[in-house]
Amino acid sequence: MASGAALTWTLTDGVAVVTFDLPGEPVNKISRAVKQDVLATFEALERDRAVEAVAFFSGKPDSFIAGADIAEFVEIASAAEAERLAADGQALLERVAAFSKPIAVGIHGACLGGGLEFALACRYRVASDHPKTQLGLPEVQLGLLPGAGGCQRLPRLIGARAALDLILGAKVERAAQAFRLGIVDELVHPAILKDITLAAAKRMARGWRPQRRRRGGLLAWLLDRNPLGRRLVFRTARRQVLAKTGGNYPAPLAALEAVEHGLRHGIREGLKREAQLFGQLAVTDVSRKLVQIFFATTALKKDFGIPSPPPPVAVSRLGVVGAGFMGAGIAGTAVAQAGVDVRLKDAGLPQVAKGLAAAREVLDDRLKRRRISPYEYTRLVAQLSGGESYAGFGRAELVIEAVFEDLAVKQAVVREVEGAASERAAFASNTSTIPIHRIAEAARRPEQVIGMHFFSPVARMPLLEVIPAARTAPAVISTAVAFGRRMGKTAIVVKDSPGFWINRILTPYMNEAGHLLAAGVAIEELDQLMVHFGFPVGPITLLDEVGMDVAEKVAGVMHAALKAGRLGRKAGKGFYRYSGGKKGGVDAAVYELIGTQPNGGPRPAEVIQRLVLVMLNEAARAVGEGIVRSPRDGDIGAIFGFGFPPFRGGPLRHADDLGAARLVGELERLAERYGARFAPSDVLRDQARRGTKFYS
Ligand code: 3H9
């Protein structure tokens, strides 16, 4: 037995069984110290004549290697330093790839970034067929590229097209898909992972060489193996990246260049270029922002929104009242993600049947995308049931209502649920507009009442706002947050105040879009300008997507259009036309309804300024009122809730970047021209006076 700080090994029958278990850390990551440890261990293994082969495992129960240590990137001061970091990582993995004895890795749990790059440098990869086993190179999500040889080794293993698909999309695949792609050589039950990996190492020691078949048939050959086909692959990928990123994210383009350069000029040159580009990316503002988002998101995973949170109640059965679009989405996502039994209730059986069918679509989608097996699918479908009474609610630990947005209706539902469910069951309202304390007024047990505001479509939108009212019990808060997390959501705990956080800051933004329409800006132009700013969709498309819920509060011209039955996408018509679920062009009739025609309107720069500043100003005001508990929650909420451009770090980081003094000056000028809706908030004025920021 030998040991370094993180790596230990024992010898079994000529095979060194190496275990990587970083002390005191929940996951294995490759830091500078770990690199030294790996080098020293491999030197020792090289020297030891009794070692004929190596079998490598993680000592963590649920993860293999989470990649390079992201915390080290934050401290990097120059591109040259970051380039050196990548070159060091490459040199280490070159050493592993050229190791004189065969290495087999047994992968169970997350194998990401530098973790996968390490596995790719080894000769044989066995993976456990377990949902926790996920493989990928997610570096571009951090504004970086796979810098320890990933841009070179992956395309050589699985072809340029498949590798670009993974690297540029920051895709993380389950083991079965990684096996299909040819990233792993063998897929086994977790119970035999160790034995199979050891056996492979032994066979290799005796001279066996794994044979790899190229996947993908003739098409892959045509596209990946000849220069013309390859050129087409790169051209298509570049076009797709530009369309997707709008030029705001440099990492995918740089990754593409690293892959292309390596395939054209050989692996040496490829590695050199890869390290240079990694260096340049690591010091960009975009990467810094994306890394901050990573750490903010991981911190939120452990935060229950209250000091000393009591343990959450373990939910095994969920009751959902209201089988409409939201209710069905909540039911389907709860089954698919949290694996709980769900009972769906609505007034009539036809609604229930429709809701159950819609909930099942969430599972259909997972099956189609191979996120669950046919066996899991059948099991989960059986966990969904419903009816027109509250039968089955007695055993629910949590009930979520998603009925019509009307106070009296919601109050009636609380009372009915209190009659049917256990005394301990928590009651959550999925309202987007009604104060939770008003709903709780009707309750006999108001301490059990809370808000859980999901976004539409529930299965895809990653944010959950959890809204305790003044009397909500702390355990109910922990339970709502914990259950939201089990549903795969990032949860922020926000104050019970009109619009909570998301709709509070969206409303003035939407409202301003209305003013701009009235001033003659064309609908498409408005949308395009904000997409150019970095939003996934512009305000008018967003309005069509969210429909009436948010728009109800939006004044003026918007109201006229919406009152005419143009409820947005869900109604098949809004500002744009929709057919078969697809968005068409702008419906010109809208302009007549709102009594204006596009005539150019203000300059594009002013359009962007007005829309952005009105939102930042409101965000600042809401922070001042304590609507979110921290700027971190506010930024993550805006990014995950409606796609505030991640590369800008969120509205509050963006406000910090612009600086309060500048914001106040610009808002004052806008207020002079357009009125009090632009009056700078006290928070910004105060920051401008003291020279402070949201983030210290
Ligand atoms: C890279 O590899 C670059 C290379 O190509 C080239 C270099 C030259 N670093 O998420 P969790 C922390 S870039 C530092 O709650 P889970 C995390 O902050 C990297 N810290 O657990 C948290 O800390 P704390 C590419 C990391 O089970 C704790 O570990 N890799 C890292 O829900 C637990 O994390 C990625 O982008 C890291 N790499 O999920 C993968 N990873 O306890 C990033 C985790 O102090 N990681 N931490 O709050 C993940 O996606 C998830 O953490 C993972 C586990 C799925 C692994």
Side-chain angles (χ1 to χ4, degrees):
M1 163 105 183
S3 100
L7 267 66
T8 52
W9 61 278
T10 53
L11 195 62
T12 316
D13 206 8
V15 178
V17 178
V18 180
T19 306
F20 179 15
D21 192 349
L22 196 60
E25 295 287 344
V27 299
N28 285 325
K29 42 199 179 179
I30 307 173
S31 59
R32 286 195 174 92
V34 166
K35 278 186 209 149
Q36 288 311 315
D37 201 7
V38 175
L39 268 181
T41 304
F42 277 84
E43 293 302 332
L45 294 172
E46 184 91 77
R47 280 194 308 270
D48 194 327
R49 282 162 176 250
V51 174
E52 295 164 25
V54 177
F56 190 101
F57 302 95
S58 158
K60 304 290 180 204
D62 287 329
S63 72
F64 181 67
I65 303 175
D69 187 348
I70 301 169
E72 286 186 349
F73 304 158
V74 179
E75 289 150 22
I76 287 175
S78 69
E81 192 189 329
E83 183 179 336
R84 256 192 322 275
L85 188 87
D88 285 352
Q90 292 178 349
L92 175 75
L93 296 190
E94 283 288 281
R95 172 92 182 86
V96 171
F99 197 61
S100 61
K101 305 168 189 186
I103 310 169
V105 280
I107 303 166
H108 174 72
C111 173
L112 301 174
L116 180 56
E117 291 176 304
F118 167 77
L120 291 173
C122 298
R123 201 178 296 171
Y124 198 72
R125 288 164 291 280
V126 186
S128 74
D129 183 12
H130 188 280
K132 289 234 156 110
T133 302
Q134 310 221 329
L135 300 96
L137 296 172
E139 284 88 340
V140 303
Q141 187 120 30
L142 299 166
L144 301 164
L145 54 71
C151 293
Q152 313 306 318
R153 289 200 175 88
L154 191 62
R156 280 172 176 77
L157 185 66
I158 65 170
R161 205 164 45 117
L164 288 175
D165 184 46
L166 284 185
I167 296 173
L168 305 186
K171 280 193 191 157
V172 172
E173 300 286 5
R174 279 171 77 156
Q177 177 62 6
F179 175 68
R180 270 189 289 275
L181 287 169
I183 299 173
V184 298
D185 299 294
E186 234 176 306
L187 191 63
V188 301
H189 190 277
I192 53 169
L193 177 71
K194 192 154 187 187
D195 289 348
I196 297 286
T197 311
L198 267 168
K202 243 178 247 171
R203 261 183 295 152
M204 289 192 292
R206 287 194 214 108
W208 174 71
R209 289 191 75 83
Q211 296 295 316
R212 287 195 183 98
R213 203 166 40 83
R214 273 219 162 244
R215 323 250 162 169
L218 184 64
L219 181 68
W221 184 86
L222 279 174
L223 288 174
D224 283 338
R225 302 302 284 276
N226 81 59
L228 257 170
R230 228 186 249 161
R231 212 177 301 157
L232 181 68
V233 167
F234 284 108
R235 208 182 312 141
T236 311
R238 186 166 285 117
R239 197 166 0 103
Q240 284 168 349
V241 165
L242 282 173
K244 210 166 137 201
T245 62
N248 289 324
Y249 296 85
L253 280 183
L256 195 128
E257 188 188 331
V259 172
E260 192 172 20
H261 196 85
L263 288 178
R264 191 173 289 172
H265 303 285
I267 193 160
R268 287 277 125 246
E269 288 301 312
L271 286 170
K272 211 192 274 172
R273 190 75 193 120
E274 181 183 298
Q276 278 168 354
L277 289 164
F278 181 90
Q280 292 167 15
L281 290 173
V283 290
T284 54
D285 186 54
V286 174
S287 177
R288 301 260 194 237
K289 291 276 175 12
L290 297 178
V291 166
Q292 281 160 353
I293 293 172
F294 169 75
F295 283 117
T297 315
T298 30
L300 260 170
K301 287 190 199 169
K302 289 191 289 250
D303 187 339
F304 286 87
I306 37 172
S308 352
V313 171
V315 175
S316 61
R317 170 173 285 232
L318 173 75
V320 178
V321 189
F325 191 61
M326 287 306 279
I330 293 168
T333 310
V335 171
Q337 291 276 0
V340 291
D341 288 337
V342 174
R343 190 77 193 161
L344 186 61
K345 189 244 172 239
D346 208 318
L349 283 181
Q351 290 101 303
V352 175
K354 208 170 148 209
L356 287 174
R360 206 170 306 132
E361 279 173 20
V362 179
L363 297 170
D364 293 342
D365 182 60
R366 303 261 146 138
L367 180 68
K368 208 166 68 201
R369 290 193 289 122
R370 305 194 206 211
R371 296 277 148 193
I372 47 175
S373 65
Y375 166 74
E376 282 173 284
Y377 175 81
T378 313
R379 190 172 56 78
L380 292 172
V381 166
Q383 286 178 237
L384 262 174
S385 67
E388 53 189 347
S389 75
Y390 285 98
F393 274 59
R395 282 195 292 120
E397 295 90 355
L398 173 66
V399 174
I400 304 178
E401 73 76 16
V403 298
F404 189 63
E405 276 296 273
D406 178 275
L407 178 61
V409 177
K410 292 201 188 270
Q411 289 186 331
V413 169
V414 183
R415 279 191 293 265
E416 286 167 15
V417 169
E418 285 189 325
S422 116
E423 285 203 348
R424 290 182 306 278
F427 177 92
S429 171
N430 174 53
T431 177
S432 51
T433 49
I434 301 173
I436 305 304
H437 68 271
R438 294 301 314 277
I439 299 172
E441 277 167 11
R444 258 183 293 138
R445 296 184 291 274
E447 66 283 359
Q448 300 295 95
V449 176
I450 194 162
M452 284 176 85
H453 181 208
F454 291 90
F455 295 80
S456 173
V458 178
R460 271 194 286 130
M461 294 300 284
L463 186 73
L464 169 69
E465 285 183 304
V466 171
I467 312 114
R471 295 171 67 184
T472 308
V476 172
I477 305 177
S478 330
T479 302
V481 170
F483 190 70
R485 238 167 244 161
R486 279 177 68 196
M487 284 177 70
K489 306 299 169 203
T490 292
I492 56 170
V493 175
V494 300
K495 196 164 157 181
D496 185 18
S497 155
F500 314 128
W501 168 248
I502 295 300
N503 287 343
R504 165 82 182 260
I505 61 175
L506 268 183
T507 303
Y509 170 77
M510 301 287 205
N511 192 43
E512 197 53 33
H515 283 289
L516 287 161
L517 277 188
V521 183
I523 290 172
E524 298 97 324
E525 194 195 347
L526 250 181
D527 274 352
Q528 278 158 13
L529 285 172
M530 292 325 281
V531 168
H532 183 70
F533 180 80
F535 280 97
V537 296
I540 307 295
T541 298
L542 187 62
L543 202 53
D544 272 359
E545 295 286 339
V546 296
M548 207 47 187
D549 324 11
V550 172
E552 212 173 29
K553 290 259 165 64
V554 173
V557 290
M558 300 290 199
H559 232 118
L562 289 152
K563 284 292 179 220
R566 294 180 173 270
L567 297 189
R569 184 194 275 275
K570 59 187 166 194
K573 63 176 182 173
F575 290 91
Y576 290 87
R577 277 193 231 95
Y578 297 87
S579 88
K582 284 226 170 343
K583 184 173 148 194
V586 165
D587 190 346
V590 162
Y591 288 113
E592 265 160 51
L593 271 174
I594 59 183
T596 170
Q597 286 297 327
N599 60 20
R603 291 173 295 116
E606 185 188 311
V607 172
I608 297 175
Q609 184 200 35
R610 280 167 62 175
L611 285 167
V612 174
L613 261 53
V614 85
M615 179 186 276
L616 300 191
N617 197 28
E618 190 65 20
R621 195 173 288 128
V623 167
E625 289 171 29
I627 305 300
V628 281
R629 291 175 317 115
S630 65
R632 175 202 71 187
D633 286 14
D635 280 337
I636 294 296
I639 291 166
F640 287 3
F642 57 90
F644 191 95
F647 73 94
R648 299 187 190 275
L652 303 166
R653 284 238 184 243
H654 189 49
D656 276 358
D657 282 349
L658 296 174
R662 170 173 164 194
L663 284 173
V664 168
E666 289 185 19
L667 283 163
E668 276 171 348
R669 278 191 291 284
L670 287 170
E672 266 167 38
R673 286 179 64 190
Y674 300 110
R677 68 180 189 276
F678 284 105
S681 62
D682 290 344
V683 171
L684 288 178
R685 281 189 192 287
D686 191 54
Q687 284 189 349
R689 215 170 20 246
R690 296 167 190 243
T692 55
K693 290 176 179 292
F694 290 106
Y695 292 87
S696 47

